[in-house]
Amino acid sequence: MVKPEKKLKKVLLILGITGAVYGGFRYLLPLVIPFLLAYATAVWLRPSVRFLERRLKWNLRGKEFCVPGWLIGAAELLLLFAGIIFLFYLGGRMFFAQIRSFISQVPLWANRLEEWVTAACLRLEAAFGFSAGFLSDRVGSVAEELMEAARTATMPALMDQSVQAVGKLAGGLVFFFIYFIAVILCLQEMEELRERKSRSVFHRELSLLGRRLVAVGNAWLRTQLLLFFLVSLICMAGLLLLGNSYFLLLGPVIGLVDALPVFGAGTVLIPWFLLSFLQGRWGQGVVLLFLYLVCYLLRQVAEARLMGGQVGLTALETLFSMYVGLRLFGITGFLLGPIGFLMIEDLLRIYGGPSGNPRRLS
């Protein structure tokens, strides 16, 4: 039987470690995140940098010269970002081509909506004995008032959002500049940084944190990219089956909305499904409902299993940690929740005595 004082010590240890992990994530992590990302990037680039550094050597007048490793790393990082930007450019051209086509159809859809509303008003006027044009005039005036109110309310919001967007863009550029410089400096001082870490009294904790960040970050990124790709592909296939000419645009949009924790694919597919049923398009409505169910089940079942299988958590533990992380840290909590859960477990094993092996990272 466990003694009460041991139970109290265990409870205090759990509360202390949980509080320390939460405080570190809440207050310390935002200050060092560009440097953590830079160090992880430098570690990832290090093998290729060393490979090229050994081969990019030449002799000149009996002296050996070589390209500095930091310069090779900077060139590789710039090439990587250039490739990503080029892919976004190619995808953006197709995306905006469909946007232009979509916008060109808006007046036609507006006219159809106006005709449908007018016909509905005429039927109601005939059914209730109103004079011709009574309801349609009222509906038209209400619609104009709503449009004017929306325009009036939207302009200040747009101006405010524009100012915030400019501020966030400037902050993003500063973040990227610091990150890029930090990657170069980490490549320059990699050996010294590793030596300092090995001499630190927190060597075990730092190594543990690094492994967990890399493992969970990789697992989260692979999971989200895979789910985004699958949901987008399923939606594009379904919309292509329906003969929708905007399937290349709407499929990725639904996949992106599905990745947002508050919204999900139902934000787009459910209203579309209901509208199809109201218009009597039963086949289209059934296909849209089927797409929603497939996307919902894929997200709910696969996300926790995919992430849990890669970081050593069960599906229930992954779902629990992601939910707690979401409530505490917002959207970033989907990543921080599993990291924090694993960190608390590992630190309890370190400071609470041997109670089993740490979770194996797959």
Side-chain angles (χ1 to χ4, degrees):
M1 183 176 179
V2 181
K3 295 181 179 181
E5 56 269 20
K6 288 188 176 181
K7 289 184 179 180
L8 180 60
K9 181 181 177 181
K10 188 74 170 180
V11 170
L12 293 176
L13 183 63
I14 292 172
L15 292 177
I17 290 176
T18 303
V21 171
Y22 171 79
F25 283 173
R26 173 65 70 183
Y27 302 108
L28 181 61
L29 187 60
L31 302 178
V32 300
I33 188 65
F35 303 99
L36 286 176
L37 292 175
Y39 182 78
T41 304
V43 171
W44 179 65
L45 291 174
R46 184 63 175 164
S48 62
V49 168
R50 296 184 68 179
F51 175 82
L52 293 174
E53 193 175 13
R54 286 194 297 265
R55 280 155 180 77
L56 295 178
K57 294 181 179 180
W58 65 93
N59 291 315
L60 183 62
R61 296 180 180 179
K63 293 184 178 180
E64 187 177 69
F65 296 89
C66 64
V67 179
W70 64 266
L71 184 59
I72 297 173
E76 288 183 344
L77 197 58
L78 287 175
L79 286 174
L80 176 63
F81 285 128
I84 293 173
I85 291 172
F86 180 69
L87 290 176
F88 271 101
Y89 169 74
L90 293 180
R93 286 186 60 183
M94 185 181 299
F95 182 82
F96 284 110
Q98 295 217 336
I99 284 285
R100 287 193 297 270
S101 178
F102 180 85
I103 292 175
S104 67
Q105 297 295 319
V106 170
L108 178 61
W109 295 335
N111 290 334
R112 289 179 179 175
L113 178 62
E114 183 180 1
E115 291 173 359
W116 181 83
V117 171
T118 302
C121 290
L122 290 175
R123 288 194 296 269
L124 290 173
E125 289 167 357
F128 291 99
F130 295 121
S131 59
F134 174 79
L135 285 178
S136 57
D137 291 342
R138 296 297 183 278
V139 171
S141 61
V142 169
E144 290 178 359
E145 291 175 1
L146 289 175
M147 290 290 292
E148 184 61 31
R151 191 181 299 109
T152 304
T154 301
M155 289 305 296
L158 285 176
M159 292 297 295
D160 184 56
Q161 292 296 323
S162 299
V163 173
Q164 292 184 16
V166 172
K168 289 181 179 179
L169 178 61
L173 291 175
V174 171
F175 180 94
F176 176 78
F177 178 76
I178 293 174
Y179 162 77
F180 184 78
I181 297 299
V183 171
I184 296 175
L185 294 177
C186 285
L187 286 170
Q188 281 183 308
E189 304 173 14
M190 181 64 69
E191 299 304 325
E192 183 180 352
L193 288 172
R194 287 180 173 175
E195 185 179 349
R196 285 182 181 179
K197 189 179 74 170
S198 65
R199 294 199 308 263
S200 172
V201 294
F202 299 107
H203 167 67
R204 193 174 181 184
E205 290 81 359
L206 290 173
S207 299
L208 182 65
L209 176 61
R211 289 197 304 269
R212 291 310 188 191
L213 285 173
V214 171
V216 178
N218 286 337
W220 181 84
L221 184 60
R222 287 198 297 263
T223 299
Q224 296 306 316
L225 288 175
L226 180 60
L227 288 176
F228 170 75
F229 174 77
L230 291 176
V231 170
S232 300
L233 190 63
I234 290 169
C235 291
M236 284 191 293
L239 296 176
L240 180 61
L241 179 64
L242 292 174
N244 191 299
S245 56
Y246 303 103
F247 68 96
L248 288 176
L249 167 65
L250 294 176
V253 167
I254 296 173
L256 182 62
V257 173
D258 181 67
L260 301 177
V262 179
F263 298 94
T267 306
V268 177
L269 293 175
I270 289 180
W272 196 355
F273 145 74
L274 293 175
L275 181 61
S276 299
F277 266 56
L278 290 175
Q279 293 177 340
R281 300 176 181 176
W282 310 108
Q284 177 175 294
V286 168
V287 173
L288 292 172
L289 179 60
F290 178 75
L291 286 178
Y292 166 68
L293 293 175
V294 171
C295 294
Y296 177 81
L297 291 174
L298 182 65
R299 171 67 59 175
Q300 296 300 318
V301 175
E303 184 171 33
R305 288 187 177 275
L306 286 171
M307 272 204 66
Q310 296 178 68
V311 300
L313 295 174
T314 67
L316 181 60
E317 288 171 337
T318 305
L319 188 62
F320 170 78
S321 60
M322 290 170 66
Y323 175 76
V324 173
L326 174 66
R327 299 291 295 178
L328 292 177
F329 304 108
I331 294 177
T332 56
F334 272 95
L335 181 60
L336 295 179
I339 294 175
F341 188 90
L342 290 166
M343 284 294 301
I344 292 170
E345 272 197 339
D346 292 339
L347 291 174
L348 282 173
R349 289 188 177 91
I350 292 175
Y351 298 113
S355 59
N357 296 323
R359 303 264 187 172
R360 182 177 59 85
L361 299 177
S362 56

